[in-house]
Amino acid sequence: MGLLNRMGTVVKAKMNKLVDKMEDPRETLDYSYQKQLELLQNVKRGVAEVTTSKKRLELQKAKLNLNIDKLSGQARDAVKAGREDLARIALERKNGLMSQVQSLDQQIENLNKEQEKLQATERRLSAKVESFRTKKETIKAQYSAAEAQVKITESITGISEEMADVGLAVQRAEEKTEDMKARSAALDELLEAGTLEDFTGGDDDIEKELAKISATSNIESELESLKEEVGK
Amino acid sequence: MIVRIMGEGQFQVSSSLLDELNVIDNRIVDYVAKENESDFKKYLGKLIAMIKENGKPLDDAEIVESDIIVPPADLTLGEATGIFKGEGLIED
């Protein structure tokens, strides 16, 4: 038996669980419709979750980029001051941050795809729910009990398959955002613990060293001009 | 025939494609048995691409049961093994 047959069995098992609740066929229509609306809400929540996670990663990326710019500036200042050792430290840190940014880019790209997929799922389900609602009213109003039974079975199986599919899509999106959230929280922790040092806040060691150099040269030049004045 | 690609909707596909799909499906079964993740992924991707290339997306508002259900493209080898063992993929 192939993967496709097996997959069909998996989905059908899920559908049967949804269809099994059928007792009074007409009630089933309303019950299924309620479930569809709930599922649609779930998809919307899923889209919002993915969007939030993506924004969070983008924020982290912006923060890292600020640090990278700052480190570039510091490296240049250090070279100007003839302190290659300091410049090297700054560039090493910059390199570390750049690889973090690269991995964030990949994660943002993945979330982007997930977001698009989920939005498409939402569109499809939304159209199907609306079409089911119309069908449901028609069946209730126009068909005899026997005909209605056939129509109901048809539309319930069709929509139940869609619901099983959407249910899985939401479940997978949730798993992905959970995973992303954990990684993003880990990155926050690293930033906080100083392992990836947040150079944007307060003075850091390179900054202090550079400030010392510029203070010394200011003092020297002021001293020179004082000497000149006094020497006159 | 109607083919559903999980997570991507339904497609109207000519029944003549069935043989080709079965050939790929059999290879996938083989790769899952051999735990060959990269070829498994490659051929699942091929299967999905073939359906999209030869199929026409069904109107969103249409509610109809599918003849074939294809697992999502990001299915892992572990999940595929689970499906063959009769474990479900979808939470209750």
Side-chain angles (χ1 to χ4, degrees):
Chain A
M1 216 194 205
L3 182 64
L4 300 182
N5 273 331
R6 290 282 183 182
M7 194 64 209
T9 312
V10 167
V11 174
K12 297 257 145 71
K14 177 75 183 173
M15 279 164 65
N16 286 339
K17 273 190 189 152
L18 294 166
V19 177
D20 271 351
K21 301 202 163 105
M22 257 202 210
E23 279 170 11
D24 176 345
R26 281 164 208 247
E27 251 177 51
T28 308
L29 285 175
D30 291 323
Y31 176 78
S32 174
Y33 183 63
Q34 275 314 312
K35 287 281 157 203
Q36 291 159 36
L37 292 180
E38 281 170 25
L39 186 58
L40 196 54
Q41 281 310 310
N42 271 346
V43 180
K44 288 188 176 159
R45 254 203 308 278
V47 172
E49 276 272 300
V50 173
T51 313
T52 312
S53 297
K54 202 177 86 182
K55 285 214 177 104
R56 187 168 173 200
L57 293 188
E58 277 164 353
L59 222 68
Q60 284 182 329
K61 186 184 152 187
K63 213 168 159 185
L64 288 176
N65 274 332
L66 268 181
N67 290 346
I68 287 172
D69 288 348
K70 190 169 181 189
L71 284 164
S72 297
Q74 287 179 337
R76 194 171 304 115
D77 290 347
V79 169
K80 265 189 218 153
R83 290 288 305 270
E84 203 177 300
D85 58 327
L86 274 184
R88 192 175 297 279
I89 295 173
L91 291 177
E92 274 166 6
R93 285 181 185 165
K94 182 180 152 186
N95 232 4
L97 295 189
M98 278 167 77
S99 68
Q100 284 290 334
V101 167
Q102 261 172 17
S103 113
L104 277 182
D105 274 339
Q106 185 56 48
Q107 291 173 44
I108 290 168
E109 174 60 28
N110 288 346
L111 280 182
N112 224 359
K113 278 191 200 140
E114 200 56 40
Q115 186 186 25
E116 279 168 14
K117 224 165 96 183
L118 222 47
Q119 278 167 340
T121 301
E122 185 192 335
R123 269 197 304 280
R124 278 197 302 271
L125 181 62
S126 185
K128 284 203 166 55
V129 169
E130 183 46 32
S131 132
F132 183 89
R133 193 186 60 82
T134 319
K135 216 177 237 178
K136 165 172 92 84
E137 294 315 316
T138 315
I139 292 171
K140 276 185 175 175
Q142 294 178 354
Y143 289 91
S144 72
E147 281 172 325
Q149 182 64 64
V150 175
K151 292 273 163 201
I152 289 168
T153 310
E154 268 172 22
S155 45
I156 294 280
T157 31
I159 199 81
S160 299
E161 184 189 305
E162 183 73 22
M163 288 166 79
D165 184 353
V166 173
L168 179 67
V170 173
Q171 183 190 318
R172 290 176 93 76
E174 270 170 9
E175 283 164 8
K176 278 180 195 155
T177 42
E178 278 309 311
D179 183 42
M180 219 58 94
K181 264 192 215 157
R183 280 202 243 174
S184 159
L187 184 57
D188 269 346
E189 252 171 52
L190 284 179
L191 279 166
E192 240 163 68
T195 319
L196 283 172
E197 291 185 56
D198 181 4
F199 300 109
T200 47
D203 283 352
D204 59 77
D205 46 353
I206 302 180
E207 193 67 49
K208 272 184 206 147
E209 223 19 62
L210 287 171
K212 221 190 278 171
I213 294 168
S214 95
T216 318
S217 79
N218 281 346
I219 290 166
E220 288 304 325
S221 70
E222 206 173 341
L223 198 63
E224 281 309 310
S225 53
L226 277 178
K227 274 187 198 161
E228 272 175 37
E229 269 178 47
V230 173
K232 265 181 195 170
Chain B
M1 60 183 179
I2 308 285
V3 179
R4 173 182 296 276
I5 303 171
M6 295 291 279
E8 302 191 53
Q10 291 168 294
F11 296 79
Q12 174 82 51
V13 181
S14 155
S15 302
S16 58
L17 200 68
L18 194 58
D19 286 344
E20 281 181 74
L21 292 180
N22 270 329
V23 170
I24 301 183
D25 190 24
N26 287 335
R27 296 190 79 149
I28 291 176
V29 174
D30 222 33
Y31 293 134
V32 173
K34 288 181 183 145
E35 292 183 21
N36 180 343
E37 173 124 42
S38 69
D39 280 332
F40 158 72
K41 287 223 161 263
K42 194 169 129 197
Y43 278 85
L44 180 58
K46 237 181 195 176
L47 186 76
I48 289 171
M50 187 183 270
I51 293 162
K52 283 189 191 164
E53 268 167 37
N54 294 283
K56 199 170 126 262
L58 224 59
D59 178 19
D60 284 351
E62 207 162 324
I63 301 174
V64 25
E65 207 180 337
S66 308
D67 302 300
I68 293 178
I69 297 177
V70 181
D74 60 0
L75 189 80
T76 64
L77 184 68
E79 285 172 327
T81 312
I83 291 175
F84 282 112
K85 280 189 193 149
E87 289 163 11
L89 182 66
I90 310 166
E91 283 173 1
D92 283 325

